[in-house]
Amino acid sequence: KTIIFGAWIKTPPEAEALILIMDWAGGDHKYTTNSPEHPRDGEWHFVTARRTIRKDAAGELWFRLMVNPYKPGTAAYFDGAIAVVEKD
């Protein structure tokens, strides 16, 4: 199955924000190539990540909202996160 994960993100120039999907097979985890990076312009943008889940993946499936602040006290905002299974 292919999963699409999306979220609205707003960040200032001082922060990088992105989303990703991670699946687990045994002790091995694999994740999407990171979503397109938010342009850091202080505006809301809807970004998506897509991952085809491995056939041997069982157990946990993680959806990550990530922020890397470049200055202390910097925040990123996430809203309206949604995950859907792509129709075969």
Side-chain angles (χ1 to χ4, degrees), residues 5-9 19 44-47 65 77-83:
F5 177 45
W8 287 97
I9 303 175
I19 62 175
W44 286 100
H45 295 271
F46 192 78
V47 298
L65 306 169
Y77 302 92
F78 297 88
D79 195 18
I82 185 170

Side-chain angles (χ1 to χ4, degrees), residues 20-25 27-33 51-54 56-57 60-62:
L20 61 82
I21 304 166
M22 184 182 303
D23 68 14
W24 293 82
D28 180 43
H29 68 281
K30 300 284 186 205
Y31 53 90
T32 56
T33 303
R51 174 152 185 79
T52 300
I53 306 305
R54 296 175 289 167
D56 60 340
E60 298 181 25
L61 183 62
W62 291 11

Side-chain angles (χ1 to χ4, degrees), residues 72-88:
T74 302
Y77 302 92
F78 297 88
D79 195 18
I82 185 170
V84 295
V85 177
E86 190 173 71
K87 190 172 182 176
D88 291 334

